[in-house]
Amino acid sequence: MDSGSVVIVGGTSGIGRELAVEFAGRGRSVVVTGRDPDRAAAVAREIGGATTGLSVDLAEPDAIGRALAGVGPVRELVIAAIERDVNHIASYDLDRARRLVTLKLVGYPEVVHTLRDRLAADASIVLFGGLAKERPYDGSTTVSTVNGGVSGLVRTLACELAPVRVNAIHPGIIGDSPYWMDKPLEAFVGRTPIGRLVTMREIVEATIFLLECGGMNGTDLFVDGGWLLR
Ligand SMILES: NC(=O)c1ccc[n+]([C@@H]2O[C@H](COP(=O)([O-])OP(=O)(O)OC[C@H]3O[C@@H](n4cnc5c(N)ncnc54)[C@H](OP(=O)(O)O)[C@@H]3O)[C@@H](O)[C@H]2O)c1
């Protein structure tokens, strides 16, 4: 019998949605969140099974506690939300940077703070960073910054929440994810020793490994096809 549900913050699109489909297919009770309540409810209906949708904006952290009031108990918590900016130091967009920094570096820990007393004894948490922390791309100034911050966050959370396990996953560019679907990717493909970009399926499998393997804790898992070697 399950000790809690699967909560996927940023579960209405991309990797978060793929994970929700996987867990719903296993018969688990799943909560997916996005910014808009109607969209979150519609995505939950599309996913089916025991999936519910709710809205929470991680860039407005004062409201996170209220938004998640009805959630729990929680066995798997995945925080994958992102509201990307395209930013450069030469033309620094303060408003966009402020939203993304707040979302990942204040919003992510505030979600964990809110749910901490509702985590099952065998709960596990995965936070999404990204390879941009090590390998910047054009416009990734804020993305690289916040994904670096996620590494520090998992270390302190793994200590503070023990024995609950907390890990970070850092995908390379995911070729079949909605964000990159309509963008030129040839230059990135040449940087991966496997000769292609990683897939959403591979990121789902790696996330489930981190959630389920009892020995994984406080780590940064790079899933990038070997891109880091170059
Ligand atoms: N895709 C990649 O190639 C890639 C590579 C490396 C790392 N990553 C990381 O993987 C994670 C998932 O990426 P993805 O490309 O799959 O994402 P995505 O398709 O862009 O989906 C983003 C999710 O975050 C939600 N969201 C957006 N703004 C939000 C806000 N202010 N507050 C709360 N939720 C918000 C969206 O919900 P609504 O739109 O419904 O509001 C959606 O569910 C991210 O953390 C990203 O940094 C992705």
Side-chain angles (χ1 to χ4, degrees):
M1 175 152 151
D2 287 343
S3 54
S5 56
V6 182
V7 175
I8 304 177
V9 176
T12 57
S13 174
I15 283 299
R17 191 184 187 288
E18 287 293 303
L19 275 162
V21 168
E22 173 71 26
F23 279 112
R26 296 178 179 199
R28 297 291 305 282
S29 167
V30 180
V31 178
V32 291
T33 83
R35 287 162 294 187
D36 178 74
D38 295 337
R39 176 170 146 77
V43 170
R45 276 195 302 277
E46 285 165 22
I47 293 170
T51 307
T52 54
L54 60 84
S55 65
V56 55
D57 185 344
L58 298 198
E60 304 288 343
D62 291 329
I64 291 173
R66 282 191 302 284
L68 299 179
V71 173
V74 180
R75 183 162 176 230
E76 290 93 355
L77 172 61
V78 176
I79 312 184
I82 186 163
E83 187 178 312
R84 290 175 178 86
D85 67 352
V86 176
N87 231 328
H88 303 88
I89 284 301
S91 54
Y92 198 52
D93 181 332
L94 266 181
D95 287 340
R96 297 294 303 160
R98 197 179 280 122
R99 276 194 72 81
L100 179 50
V101 169
T102 304
L103 184 157
K104 280 219 179 187
L105 300 187
V106 182
Y108 278 30
E110 174 62 8
V111 168
V112 178
H113 163 79
T114 298
L115 296 177
R116 69 196 184 288
D117 294 333
R118 294 174 240 164
L119 295 172
D122 59 348
S124 175
I125 299 173
V126 171
L127 306 183
F128 268 76
L131 190 69
K133 90 185 186 80
E134 305 291 333
R135 296 287 185 272
Y137 54 84
D138 183 45
S140 77
T141 304
T142 322
V143 173
S144 294
T145 302
V146 296
N147 287 340
V150 166
S151 290
L153 188 52
V154 295
R155 281 158 183 69
T156 189
L157 291 179
C159 293
E160 293 186 60
L161 296 176
V164 169
R165 295 180 300 103
V166 187
N167 290 289
I169 185 163
H170 300 280
I173 286 175
I174 306 162
D176 59 346
S177 64
Y179 178 75
W180 290 103
M181 211 73 112
D182 56 351
K183 298 180 178 65
L185 294 172
E186 296 74 24
F188 298 121
V189 173
R191 293 167 69 174
T192 57
I194 58 173
R196 61 172 178 80
L197 298 171
V198 294
T199 64
M200 296 227 280
R201 185 67 222 161
E202 288 161 345
I203 303 305
V204 166
E205 287 169 359
T207 306
I208 290 173
F209 163 68
L210 289 176
L211 288 169
E212 295 184 347
C213 178
M216 297 301 292
N217 196 21
T219 59
D220 285 302
L221 182 63
F222 292 91
V223 185
D224 62 357
W227 188 334
L228 257 188
L229 299 170
R230 293 192 165 161

